[in-house]
Each structure stands twice: as structure tokens, then as C-alpha cells.
Amino acid sequence: MNFDWTAEGPKLLELLYGVLAFLAVVGVLLLVLDKLPLRKDRWVAAAFLFPAGALLMIGLIIPAIRTTILSFQGASTFEAKWVGLDNYKWIFTQREALITLRNTLLWVVLVPLIATSIGLIYAVLVDKARLESFAKALIFMPMAISFVGAGIIWKFVYAYRPPGEQQIGLLNQIVVWFGGEPRQWLLDSPWNTLFLIVVLIWIQAGFAMVVLSASIKAIPTEIVEAARLDGVTPWQMFWQVTIPSIRPALIVVLVTITVGTLKVFDIVRAMTSGNFDTSVLAYGMYDYAFVRYDSGKGAAFAVLLFVLVTPIIIYQIRNLRQQRTIR
Amino acid sequence: MASTTRRLLLAFAAAGLLTVTACSSSSDTEAGKDNPNLDTAACSAYAAYKGQGLDGKTVSVSTSIRDTEADLLKQSWKAFTDCTGIKIDYAGTSDFEAQLPIKVQGGNAPDIAFIPQPGLLATFAKQGALKPASAATKAEAEKNYSPDWLKYSTVDGKLYGAPLGSNVKSFVWYSPSMFKEKGWAIPTTWDELITLSNTIAATGMKPWCAGIESGGATGWPATDWIEDIVLRDQGPEVYDQWVAHTIPFNDPKIVSATDRAGSILKNPAYVNGGLGDVKSIATTSFQEGGIPITQKKCALHRQASFYANQWPKGTKVAEDGDVFAFYFPAIDPAKGKPVLGGGEFVAAFADRNEVKAFQTYLASADHANSRAKLGNWVSANKGLDIANVSNPIDKKSVEILQDSASVFRFDGSDLMPAAVGAGSFWKGMTDWITGKSTKDTLDYIESSWPK
């Protein structure tokens, strides 16, 4: 492997052009604004929003519209044929697609709830404990691993070898130690989806823990002490002081994890490739659009995903606004 | 405040100006001259490409061939690039089938792609993205390949390039030393194969081992099984009808062939030696599927010629070695020798002279021999001198491909529409292995056939 610096020259030059072109656009914009007699703030704001708006348009809005159009068209990647709502009808009637929907539902319900609960309990337990930061680092570490990496790690945990052979999977080795028969964890639906869900919980619990722990530490000491003086039990403290005080943080964590879960793709792809009834919406989208060349059905999955995420985002925005008015 | 802003603006404006001038001053590289190498004796074979002004031009190639195989390929056309001065920009990716349509639709198609799926090639051709082969390429292809092979890269009467490498799928891998030790003979008919399986099963060893896990393509080795057996159980005519969908996918004839495959693959007494129960076939990677043979935990593994590359380091692949393969026997040998195979086709998305020249060269016997000499390669190219093929299993493959008794058929799933060939057929077979009935599986695949 020889790295040829001279061959990289043109690429670096192109990069330089790109950066300079960007600076030039901003420069011209500033120049024009400076010269124009208009001094209305609205115009200035509009002018500054323009580059970001244009990029959003090219990178987000136009593709979204195109995807929506594709979802009303037929299978061929190259010649458009209108099929109306057929692709959506297919999603809600065909067994394979229905299982994809069921799995997505399982993911979206279980991952945020369990990951947040684990994060919360852990945050409360280690709060002000000895070696608190070490304990936190332990659970936070999986956050640093990519989804694909995590998928591969857990694929090894679930690895199967027939009885009598040397087990290489941790879980089956434990089963064997306790006198059981090794099992094919990733084969039997719907349990295999639960085994995949564990992976995302493993990743996300650390995130929930960090945010909630910070929030718990921000509870004013007066409130905690007042409650103590009133003689609350730890149980009452948790439900009647801690939880209400960190409610906004809880919602943020739940919503963030929910949105992340809806998009889950890498774990399924790395561990089962959607086989054995483990597919989810985002994987179905990829599978149909890019492997089976059925862009219509792939796009329909994408639109459905978008529709499902939208209310969550709207809820989140409204929530943030309400908090701002309270303050 | 105002003056600072102005100064900043001036800097920006200057930067902008700089960009414009820098863009316009990029110089064209010198190109279009003939390589002086062409006049040397070693390059006389490439004289046909002289005078086309190809020196210094670049052809981009996109393929699914990676790693060692890619290095050998690049080496195989070294003389061509040295003599003509054409540069080959080679990019191999495991995600080739998914990436190519994206590149083509995005207006970023490679000059040449080695496409292993005739179905995909036809889609591109019908869309008008591919350029028909030049007269020179066509002449070269027709000289070196049988019409059977060229049929797969011909769309609406136009040829879109010659095949490149090929593989033979109708092989059963076994261990010659194990067979010798136990006194087993190589079966030459289907009945003998089943008798042998029973003999092995009676010794307590599971005779067969298999694995069909292959990431996003999980299931393909099982589709090969079905195709190979449809070809044996029902003959080439039914096979063609089945692939072209003139009979439905769940036709009783296909059900019977699939059940015959199931009599081995779904038989708990036969599979899955060293790997687990029948279901373990679905979760064993195809690369690991035959490895138990080397550990004496199974005896038979049906897989293509390219499986020769999968054996652990140090395994001797030879007729008297650790592993070797025999021809997957026909059910009725009187009806000829059914052979299932695959290969990739050299399709061009551009018709610049250097692209045409490279496409023509790849269709030639010259290239086939140059590549074969480097080892681990098979081609249906009739100009391929079998003396240049070193690997014994490749030799056997070339013999089978050149045998006139062979009834060759291309891998069916690669000919079917992607929705089936790269979708429901793979998925269906995976479900079939894990317990779904033959009828339900074939009904599901039939229902997914694009209308």
C-alpha cells in the first residue's frame, strides 16, 4: 500500500475550490446586503437563511417529495408506472410486510421503555455512590460502539455450535454450563427480535443514564432536604420527588430513543439481514429499494417511516415550547 | 464596525475571484498520442489497438470481484495496459448489485461493469443505459463463445458484450482420503448418490453438510440446489419455462423437484454434519458450509467450483488430496449431462474508443489465457488452452464446459427479475430450510413475481 501524495493533489485542489466557492457565496451575500439600502431585519434574516434553505431543499425536501412520488409507482427502477395506493395496500396485507410492521412496533415500544428504565434506575442507584463516575463509564461505553460493531459483538454472544462441539457463543456456553442444550437464538421468531432488541437497549441505556443522572443532580437540594425532613421513604422520594422533577428530561430521552429506534437498520442488517422474520421498516426499505429493485415498495416503507416519526417530532417541539413559556 | 465588515467582505470577494481564475486555469493533460511501447516486439499482439489515440486514456471498471481475485484480474491485463497505455481504474465492491443501479441512475455509471446477472444486464440494456458491443467486440465474442453463452448478454437481438469468468455449480465436494479409507466409491447416478448417503448415514455420520447464510444474500446456495435439481428432475425445457415464467413458479413439476432437493436438505438423517440440525443450514455461512469435511464430520457438500478457494490454508485440493469434487450426478444419464453454472458479462456504459478496445480485449482468447495462467480461474472461452489451467478443479470445470454432452444452463435466479431472483427466492428458500412446506414456499415466491 503506497500512498501517492501526488495523486491526491487534484482532489485537495477540488476541496480547496469547494471551500473557496462557499466563502465566495457568503462574501457576495454580505457585500450585497451591505450595499442595499434595505435595512429591514426580515430581509437580512431571509438572506442569511437562503444558503441553508437551499441545501435543505436539495438534500431533504426534494428527495422527500420524490420518495413520496416513487411510493405511488411500480416496481421498475427505470420506467415509472403509476399504481396508486397498491404499495401501501401491499404493506398492510402481505404477511412479510405485516411481520415487518409488527417487529417495528415491538422495537419502538420495548427499546425506549426498557432503555430509559434501566438508565433511570442505574442513575438513581449510583447517584452519590462511591466510584460513581467509574460505574457510569461502564454503562456508557457501549454508546461509543457503532451499531454494526455492536451487532457483530452480539452475534458472537448468540453464536451457535451443535451440542458436543466447543461453544464459541457466550450465551450458549452459559446454557451448556447449566446443563442445557445450545439453542439457535436468532432463528425462532418472534423471540429472535427480542434478542436483537437487547442490543439496542445495551447501546441506549448509557445515553438515558447520562442525561437522567445530570437531571437528577440538578434537582434543588432544598426540595430533597424538605422531603427528607417530612420523613419520606426512598420509594416515595423516587416517585414523588425525583420523577416529577426530571419529567422534562425523561420525555427528551424517551423521544430521542424512540426516533432512533424507528430508524434502526444496522443491527438487523449485521445480525440477521432481515431473515427469520426479523425485518423492520428501515431494513425493508433498503431491501426492497436496493436489493430487489422494487423502488415503489421501498419508497412506501420510507414514507410510512416518515409518517410515524412526524407526530413524535411535533410532540417534542410542542413540549419544548411549553417549557420555554413556563420559564 | 462598518470598516471591519467591509475589509472582511473584500477578503471574501478576493477569495471568490481567486476561485474563478483557478478554475479556468486547470490545464488539460496531454493525451491522444500512441504509446511507443506498441512498436516493441512484446506488444505486437496489441497492434490492433494502434493508432486509436488511446494512450493515457482511462477506463473505469466496476465489479463485485475483490481481494486476491481482483489482483489477479488486474495482473491479467497488465500487458494490455502497458502496450496500449490505457489506464484501468478498477473498483470492486461487495455491494456491487445495489450500488450499480444507484450509480447509473445518478448519471455516474462506470465505463465498464462485470455484471453476473443477465437479468440486471437486460434491465440496463432496455433502459438504454448500456452501449451495444462494437463490431470488433462482437466478432471476438462470437469467435470465442458458444451461442448458448452469448444468449445471456443479448437483448432484443443486440449483443452487449462477452462473458468473462465462469463457474460450474454442479459439483459435490468430498474427501478422497476419507472415501478411500472407508471404501466408498464416487457415485455416477442419482440412485448411487442416495445409496451412498444411506451407507454413510448408517455409520452414524451425517453424510451431507450445507450452509446458506450469506449476509443480505442469505439463501442463494439453496436456490442453486433447486435449480440444479430442476435441471435434473425435469430437464432443460422445463427449466427454461420455469425461469422465463411461462410455467408458474409453484408448478407441480417444480414442487416435485423441490421435494427431491428436500429429500436431502431437509432430511434429519442426512444433514447437517458437524454443524447442527436441519435448521442450522440457514445460519451457517456458505463459506463454512463444507468445512466439516476436513474434520471428518460430514462427507458431501454440493457447491460450485469457486468453493476451491474456501478451504482452510494447507488443504490439498486434488483428486488424491484432502478435498476434491465430483460431478453432481444426473438422474437419468441417458438424457445428457445437466450443468448449472454462472459467470459475469462485460457490459459497457460508454462507447469511447478506449472502452471499446478494452471490451474487445476482454472477449479475446488472449485475455482468457493470460488470466488462466495466473490460477484459480475458469472461462467458457473456447480459445482457452486447457494446459494454461493449473488448478485441478478448474481443469475439471473447463472440461465440463467444453464437453459437447453437457447441457449447460445459467443460474436461474440470476435470470429471474430481481424481486424474485434477489428477493423472494432467497427468502423463500431460507424459510423452507427452517420449516416452511414446499407448497407454501413456492406459492409465496410465485405471488411475488412482478406482474
Side-chain angles (χ1 to χ4, degrees):
Chain A
M1 287 285 278
N2 292 322
F3 195 73
D4 187 4
W5 281 102
T6 50
E8 302 304 311
K11 288 180 207 164
L12 289 174
L13 207 63
E14 267 175 41
L15 187 71
L16 185 72
Y17 289 160
V19 172
L20 289 179
F22 173 74
L23 291 179
V25 168
V26 176
V28 168
L29 204 67
L30 285 171
L31 197 71
V32 169
L33 279 176
D34 200 47
K35 288 279 177 247
L36 283 179
L38 295 163
R39 266 300 174 194
K40 275 185 194 149
D41 287 348
R42 199 171 289 175
W43 278 102
V44 176
F48 277 106
L49 274 177
F50 174 74
L55 289 178
L56 269 181
M57 197 73 188
I58 296 167
L60 204 71
I61 297 174
I62 293 174
I65 294 170
R66 213 178 104 77
T67 304
T68 315
I69 294 171
L70 276 178
S71 74
F72 294 108
Q73 291 180 342
S76 172
T77 322
F78 301 114
E79 34 197 289
K81 209 166 55 182
W82 295 98
V83 295
L85 287 168
D86 276 9
N87 291 325
Y88 293 97
K89 198 180 114 198
W90 174 85
I91 288 185
F92 291 104
T93 51
Q94 210 255 348
R95 182 186 168 271
E96 216 184 333
L98 282 174
I99 284 177
T100 301
L101 291 181
R102 179 204 71 188
N103 290 341
T104 309
L105 186 74
L106 273 175
W107 279 85
V108 168
V109 170
L110 293 178
V111 174
L113 281 182
I114 300 179
T116 312
S117 307
I118 292 177
L120 177 62
I121 293 166
Y122 199 85
V124 171
L125 288 182
V126 301
D127 194 40
K128 299 195 185 89
R130 280 181 60 210
L131 295 175
E132 182 185 342
S133 44
F134 177 71
K136 279 177 164 178
L138 271 187
I139 195 174
F140 189 71
M141 250 181 316
M143 271 291 282
I145 299 171
S146 76
F147 282 22
V148 175
I152 291 168
I153 290 171
W154 281 85
K155 205 174 166 180
F156 278 113
V157 171
Y158 295 138
Y160 166 86
R161 286 288 177 277
E165 299 277 322
Q166 177 89 39
Q167 292 298 327
I168 61 163
L170 177 67
L171 196 55
N172 272 325
Q173 183 60 62
I174 293 172
V175 168
V176 169
W177 275 332
F178 282 95
E181 282 256 302
R183 278 194 50 195
Q184 297 240 43
W185 306 100
L186 296 176
L187 201 63
D188 296 317
S189 174
W191 309 111
N192 50 8
T193 293
L194 298 183
F195 289 115
L196 296 189
I197 284 175
V198 168
V199 181
L200 192 55
I201 292 174
W202 181 69
I203 296 174
Q204 295 286 17
F207 163 74
M209 184 273 300
V210 166
V211 176
L212 296 177
S213 174
S215 188
I216 289 170
K217 292 201 184 305
I219 300 172
T221 28
E222 306 89 74
I223 297 178
V224 180
E225 268 164 24
R228 287 240 173 82
L229 285 177
D230 285 342
V232 294
T233 62
W235 188 251
Q236 284 169 324
M237 177 75 105
F238 179 74
W239 285 110
Q240 281 156 25
V241 178
T242 311
I243 294 280
S245 310
I246 63 168
R247 211 183 85 94
L250 264 180
I251 290 171
V252 168
V253 168
L254 273 172
V255 168
T256 313
I257 297 182
T258 308
V259 173
T261 307
L262 268 173
K263 299 189 299 189
V264 72
F265 163 83
D266 331 43
I267 292 173
V268 175
R269 164 96 170 144
M271 293 181 73
T272 62
S273 296
N275 279 306
F276 323 125
D277 293 341
T278 55
S279 190
V280 289
L281 272 182
Y283 188 79
M285 173 186 100
Y286 165 84
D287 191 23
Y288 277 92
F290 300 122
V291 179
R292 308 187 187 196
Y293 303 130
D294 194 334
S295 51
K297 289 184 180 116
F301 274 125
V303 171
L304 189 62
L305 199 57
F306 182 72
V307 168
L308 289 176
V309 172
T310 312
I312 304 173
I313 303 279
I314 291 174
Y315 173 75
Q316 169 82 321
I317 292 171
R318 282 186 49 180
N319 208 39
L320 283 175
R321 282 215 179 122
Q322 269 170 8
Q323 279 175 37
R324 215 169 284 157
T325 45
I326 291 168
R327 264 173 224 158
Chain B
M1 161 72 202
S3 72
T4 340
T5 323
R6 196 146 302 160
R7 217 169 296 150
L8 208 70
L9 291 179
L10 271 173
F12 277 133
L17 211 70
L18 204 78
T19 319
V20 176
T21 39
C23 280
S24 59
S25 71
S26 71
S27 63
D28 287 334
T29 47
E30 235 180 303
K33 277 192 305 184
D34 276 324
N35 194 319
N37 282 349
L38 270 178
D39 296 327
T40 62
C43 285
S44 55
Y46 304 94
Y49 307 109
K50 201 181 168 183
Q52 294 189 24
L54 307 176
D55 192 12
K57 299 286 179 60
T58 302
V59 178
S60 62
V61 175
S62 179
T63 85
S64 54
I65 301 168
R66 295 184 306 157
D67 306 332
T68 322
E69 287 183 73
D71 292 339
L72 295 176
L73 255 186
K74 284 187 236 175
Q75 217 179 314
S76 75
W77 55 62
K78 194 170 177 304
F80 172 81
T81 52
D82 283 352
C83 289
T84 58
I86 296 176
K87 293 193 189 90
I88 307 296
D89 183 7
Y90 186 95
T93 158
S94 60
D95 233 6
F96 172 76
E97 284 84 3
Q99 290 299 319
L100 190 62
I102 298 172
K103 281 187 179 169
V104 173
Q105 273 192 303
N108 195 20
D111 293 330
I112 286 204
F114 301 158
I115 304 180
Q117 295 91 1
L120 184 60
L121 186 142
T123 314
F124 285 129
K126 282 183 187 142
Q127 183 213 1
L130 285 180
K131 305 286 183 220
S134 68
T137 306
K138 195 161 184 261
E140 200 66 49
E142 280 166 356
K143 191 172 94 195
N144 292 319
Y145 290 91
S146 69
D148 248 8
W149 273 94
L150 293 183
K151 190 175 78 190
Y152 302 115
S153 53
T154 302
V155 182
D156 298 333
K158 275 187 219 139
L159 181 74
Y160 285 90
L164 188 66
S166 325
N167 54 69
V168 172
K169 303 204 176 199
S170 303
F171 277 127
V172 179
W173 290 86
Y174 72 107
S175 162
S177 56
M178 192 199 298
F179 268 52
K180 203 171 158 197
E181 187 187 311
K182 310 259 182 179
W184 298 329
I186 288 167
T188 51
T189 66
W190 183 269
D191 289 339
E192 284 177 27
L193 182 71
I194 297 301
T195 313
L196 174 66
S197 303
N198 287 330
T199 312
I200 298 172
T203 69
M205 182 199 272
K206 300 262 181 75
W208 292 85
C209 47
I212 64 167
E213 196 272 340
S214 180
T218 297
W220 72 258
T223 68
D224 283 5
W225 263 92
I226 305 298
E227 289 154 13
D228 226 347
I229 290 183
V230 169
L231 206 49
R232 281 163 175 68
D233 194 70
Q234 300 293 330
E237 289 77 29
V238 173
Y239 182 87
D240 291 342
Q241 292 164 359
W242 174 57
V243 168
H245 206 230
T246 49
I247 60 168
F249 204 102
N250 53 358
D251 190 275
K253 291 173 189 157
I254 308 303
V255 173
S256 116
T258 309
D259 279 337
R260 189 188 281 273
S263 73
I264 291 177
L265 280 179
K266 293 176 82 164
N267 184 342
Y270 280 7
V271 289
N272 192 11
L275 296 165
D277 54 3
V278 171
K279 285 182 176 184
S280 69
I281 292 175
T283 49
T284 303
S285 75
F286 96 91
Q287 290 94 336
E288 287 170 26
I291 303 301
I293 291 183
T294 60
Q295 306 157 345
K296 296 187 190 283
K297 284 177 179 156
C298 79
L300 303 162
H301 179 64
R302 198 219 72 102
Q303 190 51 274
S305 52
F306 53 70
Y307 200 74
N309 301 318
Q310 300 295 344
W311 299 103
K313 265 210 161 56
T315 311
K316 190 179 170 204
V317 182
E319 204 141 1
D320 55 351
D322 304 314
V323 289
F324 200 59
F326 59 79
Y327 166 71
F328 191 34
I331 289 162
D332 182 2
K335 286 186 186 161
K337 200 172 178 183
V339 178
L340 185 75
E344 62 273 346
F345 297 84
V346 181
F349 290 93
D351 53 5
R352 302 193 311 275
N353 278 336
E354 61 272 23
V355 178
K356 284 196 242 168
F358 188 53
Q359 201 188 16
T360 310
Y361 171 67
L362 289 181
S364 69
D366 239 17
H367 175 258
N369 284 305
S370 156
R371 174 64 189 87
K373 278 179 199 159
L374 300 170
N376 281 339
W377 199 65
V378 179
S379 173
N381 195 312
K382 284 188 279 189
L384 177 59
D385 183 355
I386 201 153
N388 286 330
V389 183
S390 52
N391 182 326
I393 203 73
D394 290 349
K395 239 187 184 94
K396 202 158 180 172
S397 305
V398 175
E399 276 166 20
I400 290 178
L401 286 173
Q402 292 181 350
D403 184 352
S404 57
S406 295
V407 181
F408 181 85
R409 283 298 180 275
F410 203 89
D411 184 312
S413 57
D414 288 339
L415 295 167
M416 293 172 185
V420 177
S424 57
F425 199 1
W426 290 346
K427 279 244 145 71
M429 284 328 329
T430 310
D431 292 343
W432 180 71
I433 287 289
T434 55
K436 208 169 174 181
S437 77
T438 301
K439 182 80 178 58
D440 287 351
T441 303
L442 299 187
D443 285 350
Y444 156 71
I445 301 171
E446 170 62 20
S447 72
S448 73
W449 199 287
K451 284 159 200 100

